[in-house]
Amino acid sequence: MTYYQQPGNYPPPPRGTNGMAIAALICAFVFAPAGIVLGIVAKNQIKRTGEDGRGLATAGIVLGSVFTVLGIIAIILWVVAVYWIVREGGEIVSTLTFTR
């Protein structure tokens, strides 16, 4: 009687990268608050499923936070500049002299 050896164990299939983590990184550049939210959701999914992409999710959160803060600062500076121009606008125009 011939005995055949059982086949060995196959390696587990490679883990995929979490799609939400990829979306978090992309959205951090397009619409920063969405990058923050998607990054947090992706980290929770990665913790639960064991997928790859934890670094991408973290990068989405960090970049989204930085760009959101920079955007808020830019809006505040823009509002202050417009307010200053409107308030001082009459005086700026009256100091200009137009000659022909």
Side-chain angles (χ1 to χ4, degrees):
M1 204 176 224
T2 307
Y3 294 101
Y4 295 100
Q5 185 176 8
Q6 293 291 326
N9 292 336
Y10 294 104
R15 296 181 301 182
T17 303
N18 185 284
M20 199 75 75
I22 296 169
L25 185 60
I26 293 169
C27 285
F29 292 101
V30 179
F31 183 64
I36 297 169
V37 172
L38 290 175
I40 292 169
V41 171
K43 279 190 133 183
N44 289 332
Q45 286 182 354
I46 290 167
K47 192 184 307 179
R48 190 180 71 243
T49 63
E51 291 177 298
D52 290 333
R54 185 171 178 84
L56 293 174
T58 302
I61 293 170
V62 170
L63 289 174
S65 300
V66 168
F67 291 147
T68 298
V69 168
L70 289 176
I72 290 171
I73 291 170
I75 290 170
I76 291 170
L77 290 176
W78 183 81
V79 169
V80 168
V82 168
Y83 175 75
W84 180 79
I85 290 171
V86 168
R87 195 184 68 169
E88 301 290 330
E91 294 175 20
I92 293 172
V93 171
S94 66
T95 59
L96 297 175
T97 56
F98 297 102
T99 58
R100 288 188 170 219

